[in-house]
Amino acid sequence: MTPKRKKRLILILFLVAGVGTAVGLLMYSLSQNINLFMTPTQIANGEVPYGRTIRAGGLVVVGSLQRSQDSLVSEFKVTDGNAEVTITYDGILPDLFREGQGIVAMGKLNRDNVFVASEVLAKHDENYMPPEVKDALEKAHLDGKEALESARY
Amino acid sequence: MWQWLKRLYHRLGSPKWFYEITAKWIPWLAIISVVGCVTGLVLGLLYAPADYLQGNSFRIIYIHVPAAILAQSAFMMMAIAGAVYLIWKMKMAAWVAKVIAPIGAGFCLIALFTGAIWGKPTWGTWWVWDARLTSMLLLLFLYFGVMALQQAMDSEESGFKAAAILALVGLVNIPIIKYSVEWWNTLHQPATLKLTEKPSMHPDMLIPLLIMIVTTYVFFALLVILRTRNEILWHERKRSWVKDILEP
Amino acid sequence: MEFNSFAEFIAMGGHGLYVWLSYGLTAVVIAWNVAQPVMRRRRLLKEQAQRLRREKKHDAKA
């Protein structure tokens, strides 16, 4: 490689490394703003001001969904494994809304620490499988649980 | 090995050699593209089972994921070609970078469109400003920026140089796209296909996806070759070997 | 085969609109991607051949 070419190569490497570092630092300092939603832990810690529109996300707690008899209002809890927050929503829940699945809700936290959502989006995970496999997995899981439970007695 | 690579590199720098050798490759690349696409889509659309959660809408994956992967790979190749041009002043590299830009932008557009359409029935929204979607949109704008710079300058050479620098700077966005779903919380789920782990997908669904990904790379190679040959014809139009092609 | 009839295949379990819209848009982009270089090649070969002929005529006159 001629010295001139070597110089250009080094210049380019410096350019990419420099921009990379700058963007990396920027991303790091902005990481709170880049996150799409707040977690139940953050809400429980009081990091979320009352009355400000934010997004909250987590897994819907199994057995927590309550639908109103005469309106679209529904109430459910979401968790991040650490803390829980109650969400109420007046509207049609997305097709993929399931207990145990992830959701992201946009809305405001009221004084009773209930999150009043104006929009609920469903998250899904990176696993793809046919229904039979899912059923088999669940059955195996349940069987395993039962076996564990019966083993205790 | 090193000597062989060096020889290949010098040959690739020769427009005439490239033009002549690729003439033989085109039919094969076209056949593989068509056969791969038909096989992948028949398996993916007809034989893959529906997803337990998403039902049949998950079949959009067979275009969304290959397009998204390719949009990112193409950007990296474009940046590398740009660097080769900046360092060694190889004209062929500049032409390859030039032809990759609109192809990559096309795949990026496909990824964004199909993602939005897929998002509606699954997430409940077309678009959300999460880190993955936003960084992918930035990739599209980077492609547009590169294309604009290639044409904006007075001399073609300075346009290629400016575009190559933007492509190299834009390279920073690629790891951001890839890791956005791990570094931050997003609506988009983490990657299904990982190099280091087993894919979290049933084999009957996975095989068509892998076929589509490989096919997309072959098809991309075909498109790059077709367009690069046109660039060669145009830039070398005054050379005697091109005149021989024009007047057999 | 996952579908029992053609109508079922088109319906995609109620997601037909989304699936076929995705595939349709992709087909448009792919078609343009193939057509563009093929048409440009034809135009290039024609124009350059014309230019060559013109230049030859010009040379012959001179």
Side-chain angles (χ1 to χ4, degrees):
Chain A
M1 220 186 273
T2 62
K4 209 173 158 194
R5 284 173 183 169
K6 204 169 251 172
K7 211 176 113 194
R8 283 201 290 252
L9 176 67
I10 291 166
L11 209 69
I12 285 168
L13 289 177
F14 265 108
L15 176 83
V16 174
V19 174
T21 318
V23 173
L25 288 172
L26 192 75
M27 290 284 164
Y28 182 71
S29 65
L30 285 176
S31 57
Q32 262 318 305
N33 295 320
I34 295 170
N35 280 328
L36 182 72
F37 52 85
M38 309 285 271
T39 61
T41 305
Q42 285 174 306
I43 294 172
N45 288 348
E47 284 177 42
V48 176
Y50 295 110
R52 171 124 46 97
T53 301
I54 57 141
R55 283 201 171 93
L59 294 176
V60 180
V61 177
V62 176
S64 72
L65 177 65
Q66 288 170 342
R67 289 180 200 262
S68 158
Q69 295 292 330
D70 47 359
S71 70
L72 285 172
V73 177
S74 52
E75 191 185 297
F76 52 89
K77 288 191 173 73
V78 297
T79 178
D80 57 357
N82 200 7
E84 282 184 4
V85 62
T86 304
I87 296 180
T88 65
Y89 177 55
D90 185 2
I92 300 166
L93 290 167
D95 290 348
L96 255 66
F97 185 95
R98 303 270 197 293
E99 290 184 343
Q101 282 281 334
I103 60 114
V104 175
M106 191 161 77
K108 294 171 185 160
L109 194 66
N110 71 13
R111 293 279 165 189
D112 306 323
N113 278 321
V114 170
F115 192 84
V116 183
S118 55
E119 181 188 45
V120 173
L121 304 176
K123 248 174 93 77
H124 62 87
D125 59 20
E126 66 276 31
N127 300 307
Y128 296 87
M129 58 187 128
E132 309 89 71
V133 176
K134 176 73 180 167
D135 292 345
L137 273 180
E138 254 164 23
K139 194 173 170 297
H141 186 66
L142 278 179
D143 288 352
K145 248 189 185 167
E146 269 168 23
L148 200 69
E149 232 131 81
S150 56
R152 280 204 193 117
Y153 301 117
Chain B
M1 180 69 186
W2 181 244
Q3 285 303 316
W4 180 82
L5 273 178
K6 219 169 157 184
R7 218 167 41 232
L8 180 76
Y9 175 77
H10 282 291
R11 275 181 170 173
L12 274 174
S14 151
K16 181 170 184 268
W17 183 83
F18 183 92
Y19 189 91
E20 282 164 1
I21 191 101
T22 51
K24 293 173 214 148
W25 298 353
I26 288 171
W28 293 106
L29 292 173
I31 290 167
I32 297 170
S33 298
V34 172
V35 171
C37 184
V38 170
T39 319
L41 288 185
V42 165
L43 287 178
L45 288 174
L46 288 172
Y47 288 93
D51 181 57
Y52 77 99
L53 189 62
Q54 301 182 34
N56 286 306
S57 69
F58 103 97
R59 294 180 201 279
I60 296 173
I61 203 171
Y62 296 115
I63 40 181
H64 176 75
V65 167
I69 291 177
L70 206 93
Q72 295 168 69
S73 301
F75 197 91
M76 288 192 273
M77 293 183 218
M78 185 174 76
I80 292 168
V84 169
Y85 176 66
L86 288 177
I87 298 164
W88 287 278
K89 297 277 166 240
M90 190 204 267
K91 272 185 292 175
M92 276 291 295
W95 302 341
V96 168
K98 183 189 172 188
V99 304
I100 288 178
I103 304 171
F107 281 106
C108 195
L109 210 59
I110 291 175
L112 285 166
F113 263 124
T114 55
I117 296 169
W118 193 3
K120 190 65 190 165
T122 44
W123 299 336
T125 184
W126 302 98
W127 185 264
V128 63
W129 292 98
D130 83 351
R132 169 55 74 82
L133 276 63
T134 309
S135 56
M136 202 61 193
L137 187 66
L138 180 62
L139 183 72
L140 183 69
F141 290 150
L142 282 169
Y143 271 124
F144 287 160
V146 167
M147 285 160 72
L149 280 179
Q150 280 165 347
Q151 277 140 32
M153 300 287 174
D154 289 336
S155 81
E156 199 179 38
E157 207 174 305
S158 51
F160 286 159
K161 269 188 213 161
I165 290 170
L166 178 62
L168 283 163
V169 170
L171 219 45
V172 180
N173 191 35
I174 298 294
I176 295 178
I177 296 176
K178 180 163 168 46
Y179 293 106
S180 56
V181 287
E182 290 170 29
W183 290 342
W184 304 291
N185 62 46
T186 53
L187 189 59
H188 195 286
Q189 71 286 359
T192 296
L193 304 175
K194 292 190 195 104
L195 286 177
T196 49
E197 285 167 47
K198 262 176 72 176
S200 46
M201 195 179 206
H202 191 271
D204 290 350
M205 301 161 146
L206 180 66
I207 289 163
L209 181 59
L210 295 179
I211 294 175
M212 288 305 284
I213 292 172
V214 173
T215 304
T216 310
Y217 273 97
V218 175
F219 179 62
F220 171 73
L222 174 67
L223 291 180
V224 170
I225 286 173
L226 286 176
R227 280 184 186 246
T228 306
R229 284 163 62 85
N230 287 342
E231 286 301 315
I232 291 171
L233 277 181
W234 170 250
H235 284 97
E236 306 266 286
R237 63 191 182 279
K238 305 238 162 101
R239 296 282 170 87
S240 60
W241 72 271
V242 176
K243 284 185 183 166
D244 291 343
I245 292 170
L246 294 169
E247 291 192 315
Chain C
M1 188 97 64
E2 273 294 304
F3 301 95
N4 297 319
S5 68
F6 186 69
E8 226 176 77
F9 174 63
I10 295 300
M12 281 280 158
H15 289 130
L17 175 69
Y18 302 108
V19 174
W20 299 121
L21 191 61
S22 296
Y23 278 83
L25 279 170
T26 305
V28 171
V29 176
I30 298 289
W32 180 81
N33 258 327
V34 173
Q36 198 278 349
V38 172
M39 285 184 338
R40 171 139 195 252
R41 179 179 166 84
R42 264 193 218 148
R43 214 170 49 230
L44 257 175
L45 289 177
K46 207 172 127 194
E47 281 171 7
Q48 294 309 315
Q50 269 173 359
R51 181 184 60 89
L52 264 186
R53 252 175 281 145
R54 239 188 355 254
E55 277 171 12
K56 270 214 179 126
K57 236 189 232 165
H58 191 78
D59 289 348
K61 264 185 200 163

